[in-house]
């Protein structure tokens, strides 16, 4: 598909109406002469904590690092197992691997597409230390069941909320009741930087302190390294840009939900399957549909000038990179990765453009 220009692209990342605000934020940082872990990062951490309903936020370099550092700060490492979803960006499992622990996969629920609590129980061994659910496409996993399992088996929960900024689960912000929650600010995310960025949210002050040391080489004070941390810092430019965008995030989230509702109404009874919404707290990072004739479906939309993408084409345990990990039977994920396809959804997608996408989907004949 590369090289093709689409009349309706999958996403639009260049800043539009907010350009002047972003330029002003960048100029403020350039003029300040302070570029890494400074006042913009500290302010963003406070503001994002308030928005996410968490006591503490620690900014880091990526969402992947946010997951890995959260696990490391909980003391998870070599010899340990972390149970996670086979349907996600591979980075969720790679983050587990970075700690020295082993990712173990539990299959997803067929309609919710998030980790199946029954499969989690089946995957628990004497080495299991944590559960890493992924709020896929912005829909919260079944956190009530997962917290229940975690407390029954004495496991930590770290939530991968890289696609779920401001999502709520039964009315409560995602992350509540878990040890830590990881966010990504990769440019395509609901809250995106103009580069890489990530953060960990936690209600545990001691864990937050440890994370602040770990992201900065394990330093307890300048040039004094009490433990082996990493270099994973959020920079001032990204923090300043994220602060300007954070103010608009509630409106962005409402707009995403409105577009999703438009797709749901428009595609009802049509030729593709639309996954159920389990919680009104879904933030629609992506709008995925399923069809067993995906190649033909994508070609049909391409002919209409509409770009679609696949999230994700390969179950993580089927990736060659996962060969050394515990093999996992994930029949639901196998089917979903063969059928799932994401439609364009972004705040500048006009009602007319969305109507065109809906019309094109509806004229697809199976
Ligand atoms: C984006 C993403 C990540 C990784 O975040 P980065 O900032 O790219 O490292 C991890 N998990 C999920 C579910 C993601 O969507």
């Amino acid at each position: 598909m590369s090289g093709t220009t689409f009349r309706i692209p999958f996403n639009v990342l260049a800043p539009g109406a907010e350009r002047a605000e972003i330029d002003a934020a960048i100029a403020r940082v350039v003029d300040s002469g302070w570029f890494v872990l400074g006042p913009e990062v500290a302010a963003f951490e406070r503001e994002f904590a308030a928005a996410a309903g968490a006591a503490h936020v620690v900014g880091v370099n990526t969402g992947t690092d946010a997951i890995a550092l959260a696990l490391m700060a909980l003391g998870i490492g070599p010899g340990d197992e972390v149970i996670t979803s086979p349907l996600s960006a591979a980075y969720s499992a790679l983050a587990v691997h970075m700690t020295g622990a082993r990712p173990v996969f539990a299959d997803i629920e067929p309609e919710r597409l998030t980790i199946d609590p029954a499969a989690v129980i089946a995957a628990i061994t004497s080495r299991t230390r944590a559960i890493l659910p992924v709020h896929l496409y912005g829909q919260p996993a079944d956190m009530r069941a997962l917290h229940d399992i975690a407390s029954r088996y004495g496991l930590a929960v770290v939530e991968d909320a890289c696609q779920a900024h401001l999502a709520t689960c039964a009315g409560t912000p995602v992350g509540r009741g878990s040890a830590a929650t990881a966010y990504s600010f990769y440019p395509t995310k609901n809250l995106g930087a103009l580069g890489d960025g990530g953060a960990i949210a936690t209600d545990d002050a001691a864990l937050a302190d440890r994370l602040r040391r770990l992201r900065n080489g394990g330093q307890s004070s300048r040039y004094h390294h009490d433990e082996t941390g990493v270099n994973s810092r959020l920079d001032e430019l990204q923090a300043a840009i994220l602060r300007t965008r954070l103010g608009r995030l509630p409106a962005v989230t409402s707009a995403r939900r409105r577009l999703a509702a438009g797709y749901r109404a428009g595609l009802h009874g049509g030729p593709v399957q639309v996954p159920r919404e389990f919680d009104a707290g879904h933030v629609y990072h992506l709008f995925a549909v399923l069809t067993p004739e995906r190649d033909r479906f994508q070609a049909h939309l391409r002919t209409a000038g509409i770009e679609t993408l696949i999230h994700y084409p390969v179950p993580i345990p089927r990736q060659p990179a996962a060969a050394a990990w515990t093999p996992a039977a994930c029949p639901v994920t196998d089917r979903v990765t063969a059928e799932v396809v994401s439609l364009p959804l972004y705040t500048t997608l006009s009602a007319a453009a969305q109507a065109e996408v809906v019309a094109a989907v509806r004229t697809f004949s199976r």
Side-chain angles (χ1 to χ4, degrees):
M1 265 191 287
S2 64
T4 316
T5 35
F6 290 91
R7 216 159 29 74
I8 303 181
F10 183 75
N11 207 346
V12 176
L13 294 177
E18 49 173 355
R19 176 62 190 266
E21 260 180 69
I22 286 178
D23 285 344
I26 291 170
R28 186 168 82 227
V29 173
V30 171
D31 289 342
S32 80
W34 191 341
F35 299 112
V36 175
L37 290 187
E40 297 285 347
V41 170
F44 173 69
E45 289 176 338
R46 277 194 306 278
E47 291 159 9
F48 189 63
H56 310 278
V57 160
V58 180
V60 295
N61 197 43
T62 63
T64 307
D65 282 358
I67 300 167
L69 287 169
L71 294 170
M72 282 181 205
L74 290 165
I76 292 167
D80 297 331
E81 293 178 354
V82 176
I83 298 173
T84 190
S85 174
L87 182 62
S88 179
Y91 294 100
S92 357
L94 292 172
V96 174
H97 178 77
M98 278 166 64
T99 70
R102 179 188 291 262
V104 172
F105 298 94
D107 208 356
I108 55 171
E109 295 186 56
E111 288 198 90
R112 195 169 187 141
L113 307 183
T114 54
I115 201 166
D116 182 346
V120 170
I121 292 175
I124 292 172
T125 72
S126 59
R127 292 168 177 263
T128 307
R129 294 285 312 281
I131 308 171
L132 175 69
V134 179
H135 304 311
L136 194 74
Y137 308 150
Q139 171 147 272
D142 184 353
M143 291 313 301
R144 179 133 60 107
L146 294 171
H147 281 144
D148 214 58
I149 294 165
S151 66
R152 201 149 22 110
Y153 291 87
L155 308 175
V157 179
V158 173
E159 298 180 35
D160 180 342
C162 290
Q163 303 187 355
H165 316 72
L166 299 194
T168 58
C169 192
T172 310
V174 291
R176 292 322 85 218
S178 292
T181 301
Y183 291 92
S184 167
F185 308 119
Y186 183 75
T188 58
K189 309 294 179 171
N190 288 19
L191 177 61
L194 299 189
D196 277 311
I200 306 112
T202 179
D203 289 331
D204 181 336
L207 194 72
D209 282 345
R210 181 151 197 223
L211 286 164
R212 285 181 208 288
R213 293 194 298 274
L214 287 176
R215 74 173 168 187
N216 202 16
Q219 294 180 78
S220 49
S221 60
R222 187 179 290 198
Y223 307 134
H224 293 269
H225 297 256
D226 288 358
E227 55 185 327
T228 50
V230 299
N231 181 348
S232 181
R233 302 175 294 225
L234 185 60
D235 70 65
E236 289 285 285
L237 279 171
Q238 300 307 337
I241 291 162
L242 288 166
R243 289 181 72 199
T244 73
R245 288 185 160 175
L246 181 58
R248 257 191 305 278
L249 186 57
V252 164
T253 304
S254 302
R256 301 189 82 93
R257 285 178 176 147
R258 231 176 1 258
L259 285 161
Y263 274 139
R264 279 185 185 286
L267 300 180
H268 185 75
V272 298
Q273 185 198 332
V274 179
R276 261 178 69 197
E277 180 186 275
F278 280 75
D279 198 307
H282 195 323
V283 292
Y284 290 97
H285 171 61
L286 293 168
F287 194 92
V289 297
L290 293 99
T291 170
E293 294 178 75
R294 181 171 64 195
D295 288 350
R296 216 161 55 71
F297 178 76
Q298 285 196 288
H300 173 75
L301 290 190
R302 197 180 304 132
T303 304
I306 299 161
E307 185 179 21
T308 57
L309 292 178
I310 299 170
H311 303 92
Y312 294 88
V314 183
I316 305 173
R318 306 263 177 269
Q319 297 281 3
W325 301 341
T326 311
C330 299
V332 182
T333 301
D334 286 335
R335 180 183 61 80
V336 170
T337 51
E339 298 188 358
V340 78
V341 49
S342 307
L343 303 180
L345 192 160
Y346 38 96
T347 55
T348 51
L349 183 72
S350 68
Q354 186 181 34
E356 273 191 60
V357 178
V358 167
V361 172
R362 293 201 74 102
T363 56
F364 175 64
S365 54
R366 286 191 46 193

